[in-house]
Amino acid sequence: MADHYKPFEPLVKRIKEDGKCLNGGILKVDSFINHQIDPTLLQAMSIEFVRRFATKEINKIITIEASGIAPAIMVGFLLNVPVVFVKKKKPSTMAGMYSTEVFSFTKNRAYTVCCSKEFLNEGDKVLFIDDFLANGNAAKGIIELTKQAKAELVGMGFIVEKSFQQGGSYLRNEGYQVESLAIIDSLDNCQIKFKEN
Amino acid sequence: MADHYKPFEPLVKRIKEDGKCLNGGILKVDSFINHQIDPTLLQAMSIEFVRRFATKEINKIITIEASGIAPAIMVGFLLNVPVVFVKKKKPSTMAGMYSTEVFSFTKNRAYTVCCSKEFLNEGDKVLFIDDFLANGNAAKGIIELTKQAKAELVGMGFIVEKSFQQGGSYLRNEGYQVESLAIIDSLDNCQIKFKEN
């Protein structure tokens, strides 16, 4: 539930120091998340995800290439479970797959996400990890893929959530445990306004 | 030097067990490297990269999104240095960048790779990590980007090298330390033929 949100302070601090806000509600965290990764922060965030999903049984991490791969890999490493990368296009060498359409507001177009049937199985208990939660379209794609596979989506962890977009409230209303390490209430006037506890 | 090649046996064993060879010289390692990652193998391979580049001073890992991210992240984590993802398209939010063209034989088209000038600096000692070495075009792109930045490319580590394509011999002739954990001499007739010591 959103009520129980607790910001992960090392991340909030880092966003305040190094995050940049661009026109159009874009938060740029290139220097430590998207284009260059700080390994110490990555480890700390991944341990925090492990803590937040400590009550859940998890046998697989799932993410969508490319920007979710780094935190997903680190959480998979900590939990010692396989990490599955959902692909953004249908690779020519992949036969037998689950697939669905995802609409990207950032890119203003739909794309296909797909996952081989080999790597998502009935009964899997899957944790979805991604960098950003905004409109939640990538998450909806993951929900659809796990449904096709009859896998159980036990939770979703995001580094940054933009609460002024509707993904978080939609997913929580659907009953999913959604954990965001930092929630941003507004990027108006190029000011980063964090949600408090 | 290619003379000193020593296969990383846990990887060779895994490729023999789970790798698939498809028509057209394609090696499919989807179940443990490209589409699903085995965290135990990933850690073992990353430690092996650290060993092989133990004599080098390294302050940054560089890779090209998306399939190089997982091993690059793990090596960066082990060495506690930042990991830079070279991007495959020019993101609209990135001003001031190094860029060059890379030709992909797999996709039969050229694409632009780019890196913000913020994250690749003069004097950086950079280790390039990627999943596959075939024609070496991605590596040539990295050489060009590091040259533009006046950074030093101290070595290149690949999970799998296809020695029947020319990337490895080209890069070694240029004087780079190239370390491949498994080298495949031939995929003719859908048989995986490994290079021996």
Side-chain angles (χ1 to χ4, degrees):
Chain A
M1 299 293 106
D3 303 346
H4 300 304
Y5 166 66
K6 198 169 168 303
F8 182 59
E9 291 300 341
L11 173 63
V12 171
K13 182 166 174 284
R14 187 63 175 269
I15 294 172
K16 284 179 181 170
E17 285 169 5
D18 294 336
K20 284 170 198 160
C21 191
L22 306 185
N23 280 324
I26 294 169
L27 178 68
K28 206 159 164 273
V29 289
D30 271 5
S31 64
F32 53 103
I33 295 177
N34 291 128
H35 189 11
Q36 177 175 260
I37 289 265
D38 173 336
T40 306
L41 180 66
L42 180 66
Q43 183 188 22
M45 294 191 300
S46 302
I47 291 170
E48 180 67 13
F49 281 130
V50 169
R51 287 184 60 248
R52 294 190 182 196
F53 293 102
T55 63
K56 295 289 169 74
E57 195 184 327
I58 295 161
N59 78 325
K60 204 166 271 182
I61 308 295
I62 197 165
T63 192
I64 298 188
E65 63 180 18
S67 51
I69 294 179
I73 281 291
M74 196 51 65
V75 174
F77 170 69
L78 291 169
L79 295 175
N80 198 30
V81 297
V83 180
V84 174
F85 312 145
V86 167
K87 304 276 186 175
K88 272 190 179 159
K89 267 179 242 157
K90 209 171 274 200
S92 54
T93 57
M94 214 194 299
M97 61 182 75
Y98 304 113
S99 70
T100 188
E101 290 274 295
V102 169
F103 186 80
S104 165
F105 280 96
T106 319
K107 294 179 180 170
N108 195 31
R109 60 176 174 81
Y111 56 93
T112 300
V113 292
C114 59
C115 180
S116 167
K117 290 184 179 180
E118 280 182 73
F119 308 133
L120 200 52
N121 307 119
E122 187 169 346
D124 272 344
K125 293 174 186 301
V126 179
L127 174 64
F128 174 48
I129 296 286
D130 208 355
D131 56 347
F132 272 90
L133 171 60
N135 293 289
N137 288 324
K140 288 175 196 170
I142 294 293
I143 292 172
E144 173 58 26
L145 293 180
T146 51
K147 276 188 180 158
Q148 288 177 20
K150 298 187 175 122
E152 184 189 344
L153 189 56
V154 302
M156 309 190 192
F158 302 94
I159 296 177
V160 176
E161 174 179 342
K162 294 173 173 177
S163 67
F164 54 93
Q165 288 171 302
Q166 306 310 314
S169 52
Y170 171 84
L171 297 171
R172 290 183 183 95
N173 285 337
E174 290 287 303
Y176 291 102
Q177 183 185 350
V178 176
E179 297 287 346
S180 301
L181 302 186
I183 299 185
I184 289 171
D185 275 342
S186 159
L187 292 170
D188 290 348
N189 307 315
C190 290
Q191 296 285 322
I192 305 173
K193 192 162 162 270
F194 288 91
K195 182 181 172 73
E196 306 293 334
N197 287 15
Chain B
M1 298 294 106
D3 302 346
H4 300 304
Y5 167 66
K6 197 169 169 301
F8 183 58
E9 291 300 342
L11 173 63
V12 170
K13 182 165 174 284
R14 187 63 175 271
I15 294 172
K16 284 178 180 168
E17 284 168 7
D18 295 335
K20 285 169 197 159
C21 192
L22 305 185
N23 279 324
I26 294 170
L27 177 68
K28 207 161 162 272
V29 289
D30 271 4
S31 65
F32 53 102
I33 294 178
N34 290 128
H35 189 11
Q36 176 176 260
I37 289 264
D38 173 337
T40 305
L41 180 66
L42 179 66
Q43 183 187 21
M45 294 190 300
S46 302
I47 291 170
E48 181 67 13
F49 280 131
V50 170
R51 287 184 60 250
R52 293 191 182 195
F53 294 102
T55 63
K56 294 290 169 77
E57 194 183 329
I58 295 161
N59 78 324
K60 203 166 272 182
I61 308 296
I62 197 165
T63 191
I64 297 186
E65 62 180 17
S67 52
I69 294 179
I73 281 291
M74 196 53 63
V75 174
F77 170 69
L78 291 168
L79 294 176
N80 197 31
V81 298
V83 181
V84 174
F85 312 145
V86 166
K87 304 276 185 175
K88 271 189 180 162
K89 267 179 241 158
K90 209 172 274 201
S92 54
T93 58
M94 213 195 299
M97 61 183 75
Y98 304 113
S99 70
T100 188
E101 291 274 295
V102 168
F103 186 79
S104 165
F105 281 95
T106 318
K107 296 181 180 170
N108 196 31
R109 60 176 174 81
Y111 57 93
T112 300
V113 292
C114 58
C115 180
S116 167
K117 291 184 178 178
E118 280 182 73
F119 309 132
L120 200 52
N121 306 118
E122 186 168 347
D124 272 344
K125 294 175 186 302
V126 178
L127 174 64
F128 174 48
I129 296 285
D130 209 354
D131 56 346
F132 272 90
L133 171 61
N135 293 290
N137 288 325
K140 288 175 196 170
I142 294 294
I143 291 172
E144 174 57 26
L145 293 180
T146 50
K147 277 188 179 158
Q148 288 177 21
K150 297 183 176 132
E152 184 189 346
L153 189 55
V154 302
M156 309 189 194
F158 302 94
I159 296 177
V160 177
E161 174 178 342
K162 295 173 172 175
S163 66
F164 53 95
Q165 289 172 301
Q166 305 312 312
S169 52
Y170 171 84
L171 297 171
R172 289 182 183 96
N173 284 338
E174 290 288 303
Y176 292 102
Q177 182 184 352
V178 177
E179 296 287 345
S180 300
L181 302 187
I183 298 184
I184 289 171
D185 276 342
S186 159
L187 291 170
D188 290 349
N189 307 314
C190 291
Q191 296 285 322
I192 305 173
K193 193 162 162 271
F194 288 90
K195 181 182 174 75
E196 306 293 334
N197 286 16

